[in-house]
Amino acid sequence: MSTAGGLEGQQVIVLGLGHFGGGLGAARWLLRQGARVTVTDRAPAASLAEPAAELAALGARVVLGGHDGVDFGRAQLLVVNPAVPLTAPPVAAARAAGVRINTEIGLLMERWPGPVVGVTGSNGKSTTSSLTHAVLVAAGAQAALGGNIGGSLLDGLDRAAPGDVAVLEISSFMLDVLAPLGLGPDVAVLTNITPNHLDRHGTFEAYKEAKRHILRRARRAVLNADDPHVKDAARGFAGEALWFGRGGDVTVSEDGSLLDRRGWTLLASEEIPLPGRINRLNLAAAWLAAAAVLGDEVRAARALPGALAHYEPPAHRLDLVGAWNGISWVDDSSSTTPESTRGSLEAVGGSCVLIAGGHDKGLDPEPLLDGARRWARVVLTIGEQAPHLLRELTRRGVAAEAVDTMDAAVARAAQVARRGETVLLSPGYSSHDQFTNYERRAQRFREQVLKLAAGRELAAG
C-alpha cells in the first residue's frame, strides 16, 4: 500500500458513472472523504436515474447526457471510468492542465492495508478471481473480491485490516491508468493473452503491453505455461514466477485432475465440478495465487475441496438457466472473445445449438469458427457480426442461420434443438451493438427462455 493524500475539500470529477457500480462506489466514497464531487457521463439521464439520484442526494453535482459546464482543467483529481478511453477529450484536457488522473481501483490500491492479488487476462479472469477468493476464504483468510468483477471495495475500506486480502479482477483499461501511477498488485495472475479490445488499444502489441503492466511491482506472478504471449510478457520479471499448465508447478492431467510439480494429485477429476480443461487451468492458477498469498501450499491445498463445495461461478459464465424436454439452456453472455466461446464450446462438449455474434472489437473469429465446426450442430448468428459469421461458418460447412435479434435466436433455437442438446448463448463478441452491456444481453436471453418455458414452447425435436 502506498500513502495517499487527504481528499477533503478537493475538487474531484468522476468521469463515467458506468453500469457496473465502479463510478457509483468511487463517487460515494469520495463524498464521504469530504471531496467536492462532480459526476458526469455522456449517457442520458433516464438510463442512470437511480444512481444519479442517490449521488445528488449525497451532495454530488451530477451532469448527464454530456459534459456541459464541466471544466475538466480546474479539477484537482479526475477519476476515470475504465470504459472511457484515455484519449477522450475530457481526459486530454485534464492531463494538459496537470490534473491528477486515477481510477476507482487505483484509489483502492493506494489505500488497501493488506496484500493485493490482481488477476488479468483475455479470458478466464472472472472465474480465476472468484476461485482465488473462494480458496482464500476456505483457508480461513479474510478476503474481499472486487475490481472488474463488479462492485467497489472502497465502501469497506475503513473496515479493512492489515492482513486482509483484496482479490481484484483487473482489465487492460484499468492497467493503462494504474501503470503511470506506479500501482499494481503484490501477486499478479496472468491467465492468457489473446487479441482483444483492438478497437481500443489499436494493435495487439499495445494490448499485450497493457497486460504486461500487471507485473511491474508484483513480488510473485502466476503465469500460464501454455501461452507463448504470457511467456513473452514475463521476460525480465524479477520476482518469483509460478507456472500453471504443461510442465508448470501445477498441471491438468489428461483425465482433468490437478497435479502438482511432483506429480501428486491435488484434486482428482471427479472432485472438480468445473467443465472443460480451461476452467481447470483457471483453478490451477487460483490455487497458486492463494498459496502465494498465504505462503503455504499445504494450507491452500487443504482448502480446495471446501472452496469448490461452496463455489458459485461468476454470473453469465456457463450459467444453466434451466432444462426442459431434455434440452439445457446455458447463459454464457460474458464470453466476449472468440477464444472464450471456443473454450465454452469445449467445456459444454457434445452437440449444441450456439447463439453467437455481436459488436466486433477487431478480433480474429477463427477460434469461434473452429469451435463451432467441432461442437456446434447449428449456429444462430445475431447482431452486427451476424452476416459475416454466417458467411464464414457456411464456408466451413457449419449449418448456420442469421437471425439478428436475441428474441428471434431463442425462438429459433427452441425449434431446432434436439433432446440431449444444449442451447448455448456464447456470443464471442461485445454486446454494444444491441445492448448496454453483456448483463443486459444475458437478461434478455433468460427472459425469452423463461417466457417460452412458461408457455411450454420448448419442445425437443
Side-chain angles (χ1 to χ4, degrees), residues 43-222:
S47 67
L48 295 170
E50 188 174 335
E54 177 185 342
L55 292 174
L58 292 172
R61 176 191 175 205
V62 181
V63 181
L64 301 177
H67 310 306
D68 290 348
V70 180
D71 188 345
F72 290 93
R74 297 193 65 180
Q76 291 161 289
L77 172 65
L78 177 66
V79 179
V80 183
N81 187 290
V84 178
L86 296 182
T87 54
V91 183
R95 183 179 284 119
V99 175
R100 190 161 59 94
I101 297 170
N102 209 329
T103 62
E104 178 271 336
I105 203 167
L107 293 172
L108 178 78
M109 278 191 171
E110 287 176 336
R111 295 163 176 83
W112 187 263
V116 174
V117 179
V119 181
T120 198
S122 303
N123 300 298
K125 54 185 178 292
S126 295
T127 300
T128 303
S129 298
S130 58
L131 283 168
T132 302
H133 177 257
V135 175
L136 287 168
V137 170
Q142 292 295 316
L145 178 63
N148 204 48
I149 204 165
S152 173
L153 298 186
L154 286 170
D155 282 338
L157 187 57
D158 57 348
R159 299 186 298 276
D164 291 0
V165 183
V167 180
L168 305 176
E169 180 189 330
I170 305 177
S171 69
S172 59
F173 302 165
M174 293 173 173
L175 288 166
D176 272 342
V177 179
L178 293 174
L181 296 170
L183 296 172
D186 303 294
V187 175
V189 182
L190 194 43
T191 60
N192 47 61
I193 303 177
T194 59
N196 199 358
H197 299 299
L198 301 189
D199 54 342
R200 169 80 170 255
H201 292 284
T203 67
F204 183 39
E205 285 306 312
Y207 173 68
K208 279 175 64 176
E209 184 59 29
K211 291 299 188 187
R212 188 181 285 117
H213 291 328
I214 201 168
L215 303 172
R216 294 241 168 130
R217 69 172 297 275
R219 294 179 289 106
R220 296 184 179 92
V222 176

